[in-house]
Amino acid sequence: MSITVEVGSLSGKTTKVDMGTDEQVETLKNHAETALGVGKGRLVDRFGRFLDAREAIKDSNLQNGDTLMLQIGTVQACGAESAFAVVLGDGSVASWGRATCGGNSIAVQDQLENVQKIQCTRAAFAAVLENGSVVTWGTAQHGGDSSTVRDELKDVKQIHASRRAFAAIRGDGTVVTWGDTDLECGADSSAAQGQLINVQQIQANDRAFAAILADGTVVTWGAFSYGGNSSAVQDQLKDVRQIQASLHAFAALLGDGSVVTWGCAALGGDSSAVQHQLKNVQHIQASDGAFAALLADGSVVTWGDHDDYCDNNIITVPHQLNNVQQIQATSRGAFAGILGDGSVVTWGGPRYGGDSGTVQHQLQNVQLIQASESAFAAILGDGSVVTWGDAAYGGDSRAVQDRLKNVQQIQATHSAFAAILADGSVVSWGSPLHGGDSSAVQDQLKDVQQIQASSCAFAAFLGNGSVVTWGDAACGGDSSAAEAGMMDVNDDGFITLEEFQRFVGDAGGLGELFEHRKKSEHLREGQVLELRVMPNNGVLIDFVDDESEKTGPKVLSRQVVPQSWIFSDTRINPEEKGLVSAVVVVLKLVPCQRAALAHEEEEEEEEEELLSNTQALFVFVQIGVDSAIQVVHIHIDRVGRFMETDEYYRSQFETGTSSGALDSISEKI
């Protein structure tokens, strides 16, 4: 039995889906997403009820002719130092980057449903679910293991993070902390638990936390030298409205506009030298080791490190620091203030962006300023961009200046910038290794809605729900593993042919995938030495890494394609490593050939005969090597012998000699 339902999106677009009632709601949703050309979402019925994607349609109370709404949530992303995690529109999570830093969430994937928000330390992630529980993954000592407090993590409303610890605020205003208890970093709040009542806000620096209570007082914990002990100023911490943090200190803004500071005195924790000036403060901006306070009259007061971080030359330019509207800071201690007339004043370390003299005449009608570790980028009223600071950190944009037009927003890694233009394309500059060069994925950067950054890589989120990454592959610049996870739309550990075809279609067809493969900066060739069918064990591929010829002796590798992958369409196996890895599909095997492959005989001659007689279409989906999915079609009868001898066999199917599925019909699947 089947039913037909109409599914609509908020854009007004609708589609009709016919589906058997024994199918899961997830399958219906996938068909609707594909037809509407959108990313993952959740189905809502006419009563405003979210449908359970795991239910069978016959158990979901859906009726023939029903109208459903596909609700696409706003994509939320969090970039740790070397990994990304993204909350998709349906409340699931995709992660990639360095596995030990949270780039692999497969161990908790079945728990990551209906995720509302996400937070990260340096090397771990914490997700708050709709029911108020929390799921964590990544390095245990950075908060990736919350098992010791799991029973306490209920009704969680907010999560905040220091470098190696998390602090969760629950609905009743109490706080739960976890992370590295060996290093004093705020993971252990036991000494302060008796005071942590009616907590409203939490601020964190590198190794300490500060909580504002409902009565305006403050409770601190963590490393004393980082501000984890505020006893010296506790009597002053009353009617606190907000707290700002540098790496090693805190600055609290009180209701009367005054400021109280504590923590490392040399890095912003001691404001005594300027305390008499800190009146009617409206906003506080921090760098790693210094603070700048914006006063109601538009003047600015700064304090903190005068040497390595901010070279505090404010005393030489006090007349310019008037009518300041906004302040931005680089990590290394330079500040930039936008004045009321749209011009800019800079101060602090000259080599870190504190000297804008060479571009001062261009800094007119400035709307917004973004900062990397040691450089600034300003968006002007006409959509153009002006940069200054250390060129290695994005302070020199001359190479892309003619493309920086109609810029809408800018994001930064430690040493590179990426700008989204009005047409949804992206321009990047700065350190190529850290995201300053997006040429390998430029043709994919279309209809970009937002960009998120880790320390050394960028992730762009497109209007269709897909993700494009670039930069340091080890730090999240390669999301191919996450893409494989996205192919497995029902998260059952298998990729069906239908799921694979949907992914290829979203990517623009096989031709688009191949074109991207050719351009990839992560491309590594390999010479196939031998390909053998192993009864009961699948297919064995021996190959050599050609890349190693440039750097040293050849590296021989072996990839076993398990039999389970062959006889169950496709299977994800994240434990498999190698140049060719993760997913294999074998189709078009007639029954006698399947029986032959399962035969117990292991004699070499029979193996060779099986290989030559198997009419198979192999599809290798490469994960972890290329920033896009690599698809290779091989007709064993026609090209098996070439694979054993031709180290550039890849080019044969691209030129059509190996029955590669490059025809127009296949491209449209």
Side-chain angles (χ1 to χ4, degrees), residues 138 314 349 511 547:
I314 184 173
E547 183 70 20

Side-chain angles (χ1 to χ4, degrees), residues 514-515 517-518 523-528 546 630-634 639 642-643 645-662:
F514 287 134
E515 286 302 314
R517 174 85 170 107
K518 295 174 186 177
L523 177 64
R524 295 169 63 189
E525 296 290 353
Q527 177 184 359
V528 175
D546 281 355
Q630 174 195 10
V631 184
V632 182
H633 290 243
I634 306 164
V639 300
F642 297 117
M643 289 182 63
T645 58
D646 184 359
E647 65 180 297
Y648 296 108
Y649 66 91
R650 180 175 62 85
S651 63
Q652 295 200 11
F653 74 80
E654 288 181 351
T655 56
T657 61
S658 65
S659 300
L662 293 175

Side-chain angles (χ1 to χ4, degrees), residues 318-592:
H319 61 283
Q320 293 176 277
L321 288 173
N322 290 302
N323 198 24
V324 176
Q325 306 297 302
Q326 301 176 39
I327 299 176
Q328 183 58 278
T330 62
S331 301
R332 298 298 300 276
F335 292 90
I338 302 177
L339 306 187
D341 62 0
S343 62
V344 172
V345 176
T346 55
W347 67 97
R351 64 184 183 276
Y352 307 137
D355 181 4
S356 56
T358 58
V359 295
Q360 196 63 48
H361 63 289
Q362 302 176 51
L363 292 170
Q364 306 296 324
N365 196 23
V366 174
Q367 305 297 303
L368 182 70
I369 296 178
Q370 182 58 276
S372 67
E373 188 172 294
S374 298
F376 289 107
I379 302 177
L380 308 190
D382 62 0
S384 61
V385 173
V386 178
T387 58
W388 69 98
D390 193 328
Y393 288 77
D396 183 354
S397 57
R398 287 177 295 180
V400 295
Q401 201 64 47
D402 59 333
R403 297 166 54 200
L404 288 171
K405 300 175 181 178
N406 298 316
V407 173
Q408 305 298 296
Q409 56 178 287
I410 296 177
Q411 186 58 271
T413 61
H414 281 182
S415 53
F417 292 96
I420 302 178
L421 309 190
D423 63 1
S425 62
V426 171
V427 177
S428 59
W429 68 96
S431 170
L433 293 177
H434 294 165
D437 180 4
S438 55
S439 58
V441 296
Q442 199 64 49
D443 58 333
Q444 302 175 57
L445 291 170
K446 300 172 183 177
D447 192 26
V448 174
Q449 304 296 302
Q450 61 170 295
I451 293 177
Q452 182 69 35
S454 69
S455 61
C456 304
F458 290 107
F461 302 92
L462 279 55
N464 64 4
S466 61
V467 180
V468 178
T469 57
W470 69 99
D472 188 336
C475 292
D478 178 5
S479 61
S480 54
E483 287 176 345
M486 291 175 187
M487 277 193 286
D488 182 22
V489 292
N490 61 0
D491 297 323
D492 63 352
F494 292 83
I495 297 177
T496 65
L497 179 60
E498 181 183 10
E499 289 173 328
F500 177 72
Q501 288 175 331
R502 176 180 181 236
F503 177 83
V504 173
D506 288 345
L510 293 175
E512 288 292 326
L513 288 175
F514 287 134
E515 286 302 314
H516 174 68
R517 174 85 170 107
K518 295 174 186 177
K519 298 175 182 177
S520 173
E521 61 183 355
H522 304 299
L523 177 64
R524 295 169 63 189
E525 296 290 353
Q527 177 184 359
V528 175
L529 302 179
E530 189 172 10
L531 176 65
R532 291 181 292 157
V533 174
M534 303 171 62
N536 291 329
N537 292 310
V539 177
L540 177 67
I541 306 172
D542 288 329
F543 56 92
V544 63
D545 180 3
D546 281 355
E547 183 70 20
S548 61
E549 288 186 330
K550 304 173 184 177
T551 57
K554 288 189 175 183
V555 178
L556 293 173
S557 301
R558 173 169 288 180
Q559 172 76 32
V560 176
V561 179
Q563 190 178 40
S564 60
W565 292 2
I566 296 173
F567 294 113
S568 58
D569 281 335
T570 318
R571 186 158 193 164
I572 299 176
N573 190 340
E575 301 302 321
E576 287 292 333
K577 307 296 181 183
L579 293 183
V580 180
S581 63
V583 184
V584 176
V585 185
V586 180
L587 306 172
K588 298 185 180 177
L589 294 179
V590 297
C592 65

Side-chain angles (χ1 to χ4, degrees), residues 25 30 60 98 132-133 209 249 319 324 384 509 558 605 662:
V25 172
N30 295 339
S60 66
R98 189 164 292 156
S133 62
F209 291 92
H319 61 283
V324 176
S384 61
R558 173 169 288 180
E605 291 139 4
L662 293 175

